[in-house]
Structures are given as structure tokens and as C-alpha cells.
Amino acid sequence: MINTIRIQFFINSFVRIFATVKRRRFGIKIDKIVDIFKKLMLDRGPLGKHANVEEGYFMFPKLEGEIAPRMKFRGKEVLTWSLNNYLGLANHPEVRKADAEAAAEWGLAYPMGARMMSGNTVLHDQLEEELGAFVQKEACMLLNYGYQGIMSAIDAIVDRRDVIVYDAESHASIVDGVRLHMGKRFVFPHNNIENLEKQLERAQKIVDETGGGILVITEGVFGMSGNMGDLKGVISLRKKFDFRLLVDDAHGFGTIGETGAGAGEAQGVQDDIDLYFSTFAKSMASIGAFIAGNKDVIEYLRFNTRSQIFAKSVPMPLVKGALKRLELLKSKPELREDLWKIVNALQNGFRDNGFNIGSTESPVTPVVLNGTVGEAANLAMDLRENYGVFCSVVIYPVVPRGTIILRIIPTSEHSLADVEQTISAFVNVKKKLDDGYYKEQKLVEFTE
Ligand code: PMP
């Protein structure tokens, strides 16, 4: 009895010390354990702390009207450059018709249940076959959301003996997949192949001991910088190391490569990608995603990807809608040509006017400026209110302090006149920024 009490006392002390250390680590000064919700109110998180700045203006803005280059924001028309509707499929008449007809025929529920249990149909199979063939892979598995899909696929592929090596700028869904991994993981600086080689050496030492394997993860096109993952560079390391490669090509699918099959096709290395992933959230302008690769591995994933086994299957209107979108993506290369006409005009226009747009090789166009978070907010408000241009503003902590990125996403639907209006607006606001206008002229109060 006494021994049990002593052990309990010891455990309680340990738990208290551990809790204090943890709270100190997070910089929160609390004397005793408080209600977990109260703790959340003390520190609303890096983005949540801006929640009350001009409510609904910067955070959770509401763009209204049909998805198009010109939409309404707070009742005023704005030129919209923030939607990944690269090929203009969101509002394509054939797509809208297919979506509406499928919803009328099937409703939003059918089929009910997870795919494995009761949620399968011939059309789900057909969509997988068509997607797999399009990205030149033997087999393909539909995923009900990209985020959960890739995260859970990573979880399914590796066990604690394996090592994951991934690019530092990987999307949050990849990072979360890596966080589920119980074994070692190493990160390499963005596209740094020399450093990747070093990480692979470390990984190799570990798997030599554990008997596991190595999974390398990168992206086809990176959504912030717009540059491509150096897939060729990664693959060149196969001469020295044995590893499998998973590529998230969310922004490359439909926008680059000769047929629109993405970054692997663009770099001539599609065959060397072991697992190819993309979401329907961008070029396909819908919901859902897929992962494609060799038949046996995809078959394994069907039975082991928890986010799919334990979640409802993609509803029929989304499946029929995706079949229509894929048909248009394949049969209308002019959509991609129209997109690139706008991309080239926009990116050349920015460069010719002395803007820094980094090293983008895709439609994603980041305009990099220097200024505080407060200046960024004032500039964005000026752009929206006085120049009618709406784009995403990326600030600290997503980018380093002092950097502002205005991210422009062109689509096939934009016109050359839209490009001209935008460049001219940017020339004006950049001059104001450089002249200190947004420091003095506080259109909005924004504290860092
Ligand atoms: N990967 C990348 C690179 C993304 O940009 C996104 C966001 N669309 C996802 C995965 C997640 O996809 P989804 O929106 O389908 O959940």
C-alpha cells in the first residue's frame, strides 16, 4: 500500500514538472493547470491573433458571384487573382452542366459508406483508370480529400524502421504525414540536392541497422514560390541510394508538361516517380484527389490508407464532374495555351517593371516586396479599394519578417487587359511602399 502511494506520488511529481517545462517551452506563464480552452484564448496562434483586424477583410474574406476573373468583394467588383482555377474549369458550361445533371440524378449522398464497405461504383473505378492512364501510371486510387489523402498515404507506406527524407518547403499535408511517422525523418533545404545527398547518407546508415527503406517526398510545383521540385536532381541520386519517390503535383497537374500531366512530364522523368499525387482542388476546380503508381503498391494502399478506409467515399456528382473535367483537360489543350499566354504576359510584365518574382517556372507568380506586416495590410487594402485588384497577401510568419509576398494566380480566363491593369496597379503601390506612404498613411491598424 505504502509503495503504491510512493509510486503514485512520484508519478504525479513527474507529471507536474513535465507540464511546467512544457508550458515554459511555449512561453505561457501559468501557475497551475487551467482550463484548456482558456489557454487557447491566451495565445490565439500566429494567424488567429490577426482575427479581429478589419473583420472579414484580410481573414476569411467573402468573394461573391460566379468564379471568374471579376468577382465582387464587399459589393465592389474586383479583379481576382487568388483562385487556383488555372484552366477556367470551375465555371465552364460543360462542367456546370455535368455537375448539375449528376447532382439531379444521384443526389449528394450516393454512394453511402466508405469505398471498401459500400461506397464503390463503376464510375469510381472508371475515374481511377482514366486518371492513372493520363499520368502514365499502372494504377490509381481516388482520395476523398487531398490533405487527408496524402497524409494518410504517407502513414500507410512507412513503418518505424523506415526513414522519410523531405523538402523543407513541403505543403502542410506532407508535413503532417511526416509527423505521423514513428521512425526517423530528415529534411533537406528546398531543392538543395547536395544537402539531400547528405540526408540520404544519414538515412542509409539508419536503414542499414533497422532493415527499413527510404521514402523521399517533394513537390512537382511549389505553391508559394512557383518553382518546380528538382525531380531530375532527386532522381540522379538513385545511382548512389535506394529510395522510393513520392511527388505532390497539386499545382503541376493540368498546367505543365506536354499533355498537362505535370512536373514529371515537363522534366522527362514521369516514369521515375514511384507515387504521383494530385488534388482536384486546382486545375480540376473541384474536391477530391488521387494517388497513382504501380499496381501492387496502389492495391496495398487501398487496404491500408486509414483516411479512406474509415471515411465516406467521394460522392457521385464529384466523380462524374471529375470525369468531365478530365475529358476537357485532355481534349482542350487550348485551355493550357490560354493560361500560358496570360502567365507569360504577367510574368514578363512584372520582370520588365523591375519586380522580383523569384524563380517561378509555373503559373504561380509571387511578387516579393519588402515591408512590415502593417505596411502589407495597408498596401493590400489600397490595392483592393482603390485599384480593384484582389490577390492573396502572404506575411510573417509564413515568410520571414520584413518580406511581403503578393501571390498572383493567373488563369486561362484572364485577359491581357486584366494583366495590364494589374501591372499598372502594382507599379503604383510599389512606389507608394518605397516612398513610405503605407507607414504614414494608416488605412488600417495592424500590429505585429
Ligand atoms: N498538396 C498541396 C501542394 C496543396 O496545395 C493542397 C491544397 N489544395 C493539398 C495538398 C491538399 O489538397 P486538398 O485541398 O484536396 O485537401
Side-chain angles (χ1 to χ4, degrees), residues 145-147 171 173 219 248 250-251 277 279 281-282 288:
Y145 272 98
Y147 201 109
H171 188 262
S173 55
E219 293 187 31
D248 177 341
H251 294 270
F277 163 93
T279 165
K282 321 242 177 225

Side-chain angles (χ1 to χ4, degrees), residues 97-391:
K97 187 164 173 277
D99 289 352
E101 283 176 2
E105 187 178 353
W106 301 98
L108 289 180
Y110 182 81
M112 289 288 281
R115 191 92 184 277
M116 188 188 271
M117 305 302 281
S118 53
N120 199 17
T121 75
V122 173
L123 292 181
H124 284 68
D125 289 348
Q126 184 189 332
L127 178 56
E128 286 182 339
E129 254 171 54
E130 290 190 19
L131 282 165
F134 180 61
V135 297
Q136 303 152 37
K137 295 291 167 205
E138 227 176 40
C140 167
M141 178 170 85
L142 264 183
L143 303 163
N144 50 17
Y145 272 98
Y147 201 109
Q148 289 95 317
I150 191 163
M151 183 172 78
S152 192
I154 294 168
D155 176 49
I157 295 162
V158 289
D159 68 35
R160 62 173 71 235
R161 294 166 303 172
D162 303 322
V163 180
I164 298 179
V165 184
Y166 66 106
D167 189 287
E169 284 185 16
S170 293
H171 188 262
S173 55
I174 296 174
V175 174
D176 284 0
V178 172
R179 286 159 86 176
L180 288 175
H181 178 43
M182 308 282 272
K184 289 272 182 205
R185 82 282 307 259
F186 298 122
V187 61
F188 59 98
H190 177 52
N191 264 348
N192 184 332
I193 301 301
E194 224 172 274
N195 189 280
L196 168 61
E197 186 170 353
K198 286 202 185 96
Q199 304 310 328
L200 285 170
E201 275 163 17
R202 294 170 77 192
Q204 188 64 51
K205 276 192 198 129
I206 288 167
V207 296
D208 283 346
E209 300 245 313
T210 62
I214 303 170
L215 178 67
V216 175
I217 311 175
T218 188
E219 293 187 31
V221 168
F222 285 79
M224 277 295 162
S225 62
N227 58 12
M228 276 198 248
D230 183 359
L231 304 181
K232 267 191 171 165
V234 174
I235 288 157
S236 71
L237 295 173
R238 283 229 164 99
K239 280 186 239 124
K240 282 180 111 174
F241 304 95
D242 247 343
F243 60 85
R244 292 295 182 176
L245 174 61
L246 165 60
V247 174
D248 177 341
D249 203 19
H251 294 270
F253 180 82
T255 66
I256 55 174
E258 203 184 326
T259 68
E265 186 181 52
Q267 295 183 37
V269 293
Q270 189 76 350
D271 284 351
D272 296 294
I273 296 173
D274 296 301
L275 282 167
Y276 179 96
F277 163 93
S278 183
T279 165
F280 296 160
K282 321 242 177 225
S283 283
M284 294 278 276
S286 182
I287 298 172
F290 71 94
I291 187 161
N294 122 349
K295 196 161 159 284
D296 295 338
V297 176
I298 296 299
E299 200 58 15
Y300 172 87
L301 287 177
R302 281 189 204 290
F303 288 91
N304 292 281
T305 306
R306 290 165 64 84
S307 70
Q308 306 305 303
I309 299 169
F310 298 104
K312 189 184 177 300
S313 128
V314 179
M316 198 61 120
L318 292 175
V319 173
K320 288 207 83 171
L323 281 163
K324 174 52 79 181
R325 288 159 171 79
L326 184 60
E327 178 200 316
L328 295 175
L329 194 150
K330 289 193 291 192
S331 64
K332 290 192 180 301
E334 60 270 27
L335 296 176
R336 213 164 39 258
E337 283 158 23
D338 288 350
L339 166 67
W340 276 96
K341 227 184 279 166
I342 300 303
V343 173
N344 289 331
L346 188 77
Q347 295 185 350
N348 290 338
F350 276 127
R351 288 201 179 102
D352 293 349
N353 281 282
F355 283 93
N356 171 11
I357 59 165
S359 50
T360 180
E361 301 161 278
S362 71
V364 176
T365 308
V367 179
V368 185
L369 302 170
N370 299 317
T372 62
V373 170
E375 284 176 300
N378 281 294
L379 182 150
M381 194 175 241
D382 196 19
L383 250 187
R384 287 178 191 179
E385 297 303 316
N386 302 318
Y387 298 90
V389 173
F390 186 103
C391 64

